[in-house]
Amino acid sequence: MKSVVLTTGALLLAQTAMAQTPTLRPDQQAFRAIYQELVETDTSITSGSCTDLAAKIGARFKAAGFSDSQITYFSVPEHPKDGGVVIVYPGTSQAVKPMLLLGHIDVVTAKREDWTRDPYKMIEENGFFYGRGTADMKAMDAIWIDTLLRFKASNYKPKRTVKLALTCGEETTGAFDGAEWLAKNKPDLIAAEFALNEGGGGRAGPDGKPIVMSLHVGEKIVQNYRIEATNPGGHSSIPIRDNAIYELADALVKIRDYEFRTQVNDTTRAYFAKSGAARKDEIGAAMLAVSKNPADTAAVAILNKDRSYHSMLRTTCVATLLDGGHANNALPQRAGANINCRIFPGNDVEAIRAELEKVIGDPKMKVTLTPPIRPAAVPPTLDPRIVGPAEKLVAKYYPGVPLVPTMSTGGTDGIYLETIGIPSYGPPGLYNDPESGAHGLNERMRVDAVYKGRDFLFDLVKDYAG
């Protein structure tokens, strides 16, 4: 009798949980299956294959009625697991240029022993989807795929051709980068008036609701430099002051203490103006002041206290790796460090190299560019044809939530598109908690944000395409 009571109680709990969980519509179930397939296909550089996932994606489009000519797989022999796919959904007008949806399908490697759950299984729990790539950026990838499949199913005929490029290599410096390869080798395949990419979105507050939506407009250049000191060395029993490790240490302290000049562009000026107007505190006042006068040193000093605002206002360079010496009982013959710079748009990588040399002020120290050498950042304009529809949809889906243009202090594959004349924007729509776990442990994405973001981005793409 006791076991029956427990079983009944468990059944009641299960029924209650089901009642609290909204039933998915058939179209949402189909989308969820795409999202799950993406997350559960390992695309890390260590143990996964983007090529395998690209084939699964292509098969979905083939089954939906897309022709072979509309599906293009690409890879290179040297990197057989880093392939990608381009899908073309034709528009009706030759006078209107295409638009491009861009997404990277590779993810940062995740170690099962460090995670609470299997990182390559999509687990829905407590209002979140858990799994590597759920946030960065397979939710958006799934939405792009789902959008074109829905267009096909409804026989939607946009004026503008819509292209989708899903690529590998964005997460690993020095790997085969599909977006870069397409820009250099197949520019006609992805040619477009503009692109929608990662980088935008929104941030949720403590109650889980979005408090701000962002439109990603431009980004810094990510460039690594090596600084190195060399020395004849010698026996450690007779040390001298001329020591490669000490020279390197002196150089690193100078770099740490150096502040690159304050800079703003149209995007960051608009960001500080809109964000500042929404705040009623010292930081808000400083934002407004800097948006009007970047030379306001008092306002800059206030914003510099926040590491994010500090980075948005200038180029930053920081030491990330060290090496030096060759034996415990020998004076070092060589000591070096990697300096990772995030360069404000408009600055040349060679000019920053020369500036680092000047900061170090030691002719014995070499500063060299470390491949890959990134192209110059070309910030897109705040085009009203892009901003306007996004603002209208934010007001519809997220009433009262401001849309703020932002310049990424990180980097995306959009930089390769901009070198061939395709401005790249990161749209709003999806949102997440500040601690999403992207690139780290227990990566997660809000369930409600995924489904609402799907509806938002579908409408946005349809607006731009129509």
Side-chain angles (χ1 to χ4, degrees), residues 56-71 73 87-90 145 148-155 157:
K56 293 177 182 179
I57 294 166
R60 284 184 176 274
F61 282 99
K62 184 70 174 176
F66 282 72
S67 66
D68 289 338
S69 64
Q70 294 172 314
I71 306 169
Y73 300 101
I87 309 295
V88 177
Y89 189 83
I145 295 166
L148 292 193
L149 292 176
R150 289 167 71 186
F151 281 2
K152 182 71 172 178
S154 64
N155 198 31
K157 298 184 183 302

Side-chain angles (χ1 to χ4, degrees), residues 51 73-84 175-178 181-182 185:
T51 304
Y73 300 101
F74 64 93
S75 63
V76 296
E78 299 82 4
H79 300 277
K81 292 185 177 182
D82 297 341
F176 169 74
D177 189 297
W181 186 88
L182 287 170
N185 296 278

Side-chain angles (χ1 to χ4, degrees), residues 217-230:
V217 186
E219 59 194 67
K220 289 183 167 184
I221 309 171
V222 182
Q223 184 61 55
N224 291 297
Y225 299 85
R226 177 171 175 81
I227 60 172
E228 186 174 88
T230 57

Side-chain angles (χ1 to χ4, degrees), residues 206-263:
D207 61 357
K209 296 179 181 180
I211 56 176
V212 66
M213 281 286 162
S214 63
L215 176 69
H216 172 253
V217 186
E219 59 194 67
K220 289 183 167 184
I221 309 171
V222 182
Q223 184 61 55
N224 291 297
Y225 299 85
R226 177 171 175 81
I227 60 172
E228 186 174 88
T230 57
N231 193 283
H235 203 288
S236 62
S237 66
I238 47 173
I240 55 176
R241 292 181 63 84
D242 188 12
N243 182 303
I245 290 177
Y246 295 155
E247 290 166 358
L248 176 65
D250 290 340
L252 292 176
V253 169
K254 291 177 181 178
I255 292 172
R256 179 197 67 186
D257 294 339
Y258 183 68
E259 194 83 297
F260 286 86
R261 66 189 177 95
T262 301
Q263 292 183 267

Side-chain angles (χ1 to χ4, degrees), residues 226-231 242-255 322-323 334-339 353-354 356-368:
R226 177 171 175 81
I227 60 172
E228 186 174 88
T230 57
N231 193 283
D242 188 12
N243 182 303
I245 290 177
Y246 295 155
E247 290 166 358
L248 176 65
D250 290 340
L252 292 176
V253 169
K254 291 177 181 178
I255 292 172
L322 281 172
D323 60 86
R334 192 179 303 274
N338 184 79
I339 305 299
R353 188 202 65 78
L356 288 172
E357 278 192 343
K358 185 177 179 181
V359 170
I360 294 169
D362 183 348
K364 292 181 290 185
M365 295 290 298
K366 296 179 181 178
V367 181
T368 56

Side-chain angles (χ1 to χ4, degrees), residues 170-171 197-199 216-223 308 311-312 314 316 340-345 374 377 406-415 418 439:
E170 196 273 347
E171 297 289 16
N197 184 26
E198 64 176 334
H216 172 253
V217 186
E219 59 194 67
K220 289 183 167 184
I221 309 171
V222 182
Q223 184 61 55
S308 296
S311 185
M312 288 177 65
R314 60 184 51 77
T316 61
N340 180 263
C341 294
R342 306 299 173 118
I343 302 172
F344 198 94
R374 307 288 185 178
T406 59
M407 179 194 73
S408 173
T409 56
T412 74
D413 278 336
I415 196 169
E418 287 150 9
H439 289 206

